Amino acid sequence: MNPPQLKPDGSSGRCKQSDAYNLLRRFRLHADAILRFIADPTVPFSNNIAERAVRMPKVKQKISGCFRTIAGADNFCIIRSCLDTLRKQGHSMLEVLRRAFTGDPIMPAA
C-alpha cells in the first residue's frame, strides 16, 4: 500500500519517501524494540515518566512567571528529583515527607 519512491534514472542520492513509508519502515526494522513492553513487563508502554519529571518545574515557572533566584530553582529541582526517585522506588510520599520533616529522611537507593 505504501511502496518506496524510486529515483529517476541517472539521478544521484536517495529519493524522498513519504512519512507513512518511513514510519512503516521503522516499525519493520525496530519491531522488537517498539513492542518490547509486551514481552518485558519492566519496560513502560511510553516515555511519559520522563516527561512528567519535567512537567512540574515548567508548571511552577508558568504560574509564578519565574523562579526568584537560581538557588531557589536548584532547591526546587533537587527536592522534586528526590521525591520522584523515592516514588519510583515504591516509597509512600506521605511517609517520605513525614520522615523528612521529623529529621529522619529516607535516602534514595543508589
Side-chain angles (χ1 to χ4, degrees):
M1 301 281 272
N2 291 293
Q5 297 292 323
L6 303 174
K7 64 180 178 173
D9 292 335
S11 64
S12 62
R14 294 187 312 187
C15 187
K16 180 172 170 49
Q17 302 296 326
S18 70
D19 290 340
Y21 175 81
N22 290 333
L23 182 62
L24 287 170
R25 191 174 120 263
R26 283 190 208 105
F27 278 163
R28 286 186 192 114
L29 290 174
H30 305 289
D32 57 330
I34 293 170
L35 301 174
R36 182 163 295 143
F37 71 94
I38 294 172
D40 185 356
T42 62
V43 175
F45 172 73
S46 71
N47 68 346
N48 265 354
I49 294 171
E51 189 272 334
R52 275 188 228 137
V54 178
R55 186 181 305 151
M56 186 61 191
K58 292 304 287 180
V59 169
K60 177 158 177 37
Q61 184 180 21
K62 180 180 173 185
I63 291 171
S64 63
C66 65
F67 289 97
R68 295 191 184 269
T69 64
I70 297 296
D74 286 343
N75 291 337
F76 179 83
C77 290
I78 289 168
I79 291 167
R80 287 292 307 173
S81 176
C82 287
L83 289 175
D84 196 40
T85 299
L86 290 167
R87 181 186 56 77
K88 288 176 186 174
Q89 291 176 356
H91 293 280
S92 161
M93 287 295 97
L94 185 59
E95 181 64 16
V96 167
L97 292 172
R98 186 191 67 74
R99 284 185 56 180
F101 287 118
T102 59
D104 181 29
I106 298 173
M107 300 305 289

